[in-house]
Structure formats: structure tokens, C-alpha cells
Amino acid sequence: MATRRFPAPTDTPDPAALDEFYADVAEADLQPLWMQEGLMPRTPPLHDVPFRWRWKRLRALAVRSGELVPIDRGGDRRVLAFANPGGDGLPYATSTLWGAVQYLGPGEVAPAHHHTPGALRFVLEGNGVWTLVNGDPVSMSPGDLVLTPSWCWHEHHNPGSEPMLWFDGLDIPMVRAMDAIFFEDGPDRMTNRAVDPTSRSELRYAGAPGLLPLDAEAPPAHSSLLAYRRADTDRALTRLLQAGAERHAAVRFADPTSGADVMPTIRCSMHRLLPGARTPTIRRTGSSIWVTYSGAATALIDGQRFDLEPGDVFAVPSWAPFDLSATEPTDLFSVSDAPVLEAMRLARTETLPAQQERS
Ligand code: GTQ
Ligand code: FE2
């Protein structure tokens, strides 16, 4: 829709009356459509910017937060949120997704709470942390994906002697935009218990591929399986490559009972690129956050080049041309808002000619 501008006073028979009209419209808390600029751009404006946060810097700051900032009621979590420089100072990695690095020191506990935003953890460093999700203790190790979906109680425990760092992905900006954020503290008692490496959700829903308990619960609003282990993700990617995938394999984390995404608002996927791989340049509606797990790769986003090392995180804005290439075997984890775009029938993908780096 072309924007129409304020009629010039010479275009109107009664400039004084027009001025008075606009003043009255504003006074009535109304705004004329014809005065809006950029309300309906031809294509989505690049609002978020393509951006990378380097692990070296992230990690050092997370460690300093561990030395300086206690975990207490009020904050509850020691978390540094990725703030996209295009996002008006908000603590959001993209306009729809919260991403953060969380640090839990040896012996520390992050207290129980629940909230309507859904959360997931992708573990980057350390061992021995466990998260109690609605009473099910879920152990966490590097490369694991652990879910704490909307309204599930969760508390994090680090009984070990090493700090642990992980990536948090949440749908806070989406839930916020719909004014549907609710939050409650849990009980203060600190459970301390021996934790089985395999959660109850895995015992029931990850026994073996394609085999579900006959009495499986009706699909809840999120995946029945709360933990996806690194060894399983690795095997799935290895097998896709064996099955003939050309130097790039990708898996989507799914609810084993329905095939649906892990949560109604967030899609998680894991990608493996072999040396020499380059993905097609595509752009899609909806944004994503990517976490480099291992290897060395390059992301090109809207002509901007980002070289990636393990732990580096980057944001891909809606409709930005994007491709990946690798010089070493590289694994990347990704979260996106795709289920929401699909549910709203707003998902669009376009394949473009291979983009060039802009100098
Ligand atoms: O670990 O419970 O990054 O509640 C933001 C909000 C993590 C958490 C975040 C949270 C958490
Ligand atoms: Fe939380």
C-alpha cells in the first residue's frame, strides 16, 4: 500500500479547518490511516539485524556474573540475554525469540518457578546439572536439549564441582506481545536427591524408535519427551548422511507421540555440515537463533559474513537471505518461531541465487 502524505494546505479548500480536524482526531485518540508511514511495507522490513555473539566473550562475562551476582528470589536465574542491536534496547535476540546464556556455579540451585513462556536449554559446557521439570528430574550434559514447556515447574541444581553453562531459548517476546505472561514462584524447599541419568519422560517415550507406551497420555500441549540426548541427535544426523543426504543433514526435534514440534511456539533443529557444504540461500518469514555446537562454519546473512566457532550464537531476522557453509564437520542447533508462522498461515520461504558477501 502506497503511503499517502498529508495533503498540502494548497490542496485543500480550507486549510484552517483541516488543521482543526487533525487536532480533534488526535484529541479523540484516533490516527488517520493516510498519515501512517511504513504500516504495510511491500516486504517485511529488516527490523532485527543479523548479529553474532562470540562465545569467548559470552563465556568470560557469564563467569564474571557467577563471581559477582548471587542467584536469589527476584532474579531467580543468572542469565545474560542476547539483545539484538536492532531491537530498540529490548532484551530479545529477535522480535519473537528470547535467547540467553545461563550460568550455574558448583553447589548452586536456581529456585522453582513456572511461567507461561515456554523454555528450552541446549547445554554448552559442564556436567552434572539436573532440572526438575514438573517433578521429573532431568539430567543435563553438553549437546543435550532439555524442555521446560509453558507452565511446567522447573528448578536447576548443580551438585557438582564445575560450573555449567547453557543456552536458553524462550518465546517471551511472542507471549509478551499477546499480553499472556503469567509467573509464579514455587515452594522454597530445596530438593536434593540422587538423579537417574534417564528421566521418567525418556523411560516412557524414548525406549526405542517407533515404540510408544500403549497407555501413552493424550498428546499434551508440548512434547511428552522432555530430553533429547546428544548421542541420539548425533546418530540421527550420521544416519541421514548415510542415507544419502549431500553434505548437509538436518533433524527436527519432535514429540514422539504426534510428530509435532517440541512446543506450540518453538521449533528446534540440529544441522550437520560436512567440509565443503554450502546450503542454498533462502529467506523465510519468522526469525531464528543459532548455536554453534562444534566445528567451524560461516553464516552469510543479508550479505553479512559471520565466521563461527563452537559456542558462537547468531540471530537470523525474518526475510533475511541466509546460508551456511563449513570448512570442518560442523553441528549447529537452531530455534525458530516456525510453528507460529505455520499456524497463522504466514510461513513463506523463498530460495534465492547464492548470495555474495557484501564488503
Ligand atoms: O531458566 O527458568 O533465560 O525463567 C529466562 C527466564 C531462563 C529459567 C531464562 C527463565 C529461565
Ligand atoms: Fe524459568
Side-chain angles (χ1 to χ4, degrees), residues 174-211:
M174 293 187 244
V175 184
R176 178 80 235 223
M178 291 178 278
D179 280 333
I181 297 204
F182 292 81
F183 175 97
E184 286 175 341
D185 283 326
D188 265 321
R189 58 151 184 85
M190 295 297 176
T191 24
N192 203 359
R193 49 155 116 189
V195 170
D196 197 283
T198 309
S199 63
R200 183 180 140 80
S201 82
E202 293 165 271
L203 291 175
R204 281 181 60 73
Y205 293 100
L211 295 176

Side-chain angles (χ1 to χ4, degrees), residues 77 79 98 100 102 113 115 121 154 156 168 170 172:
R77 303 292 186 259
V79 159
W98 167 283
Q102 182 160 168
H113 68 206
H115 36 68
R121 335 276 162 197
H154 53 286
H156 313 307
D168 285 323
L170 289 92
I172 295 172

Side-chain angles (χ1 to χ4, degrees), residues 15-72:
L18 186 66
D19 283 348
E20 199 183 327
F21 165 71
Y22 280 124
D24 291 348
V25 165
E27 184 64 28
D29 295 295
L30 297 168
Q31 291 194 30
L33 172 64
W34 63 87
M35 298 292 281
Q36 309 298 319
E37 282 190 72
L39 188 67
M40 301 271 191
R42 228 178 53 77
T43 58
L46 279 191
H47 162 76
D48 298 321
V49 297
F51 200 76
R52 169 199 47 197
W53 294 264
R54 285 192 183 279
W55 176 245
K56 275 199 188 83
R57 205 169 174 195
L58 272 178
R59 188 183 181 285
L61 290 166
V63 169
R64 277 166 68 193
S65 74
E67 292 159 1
L68 295 167
V69 184
I71 307 182
D72 274 322

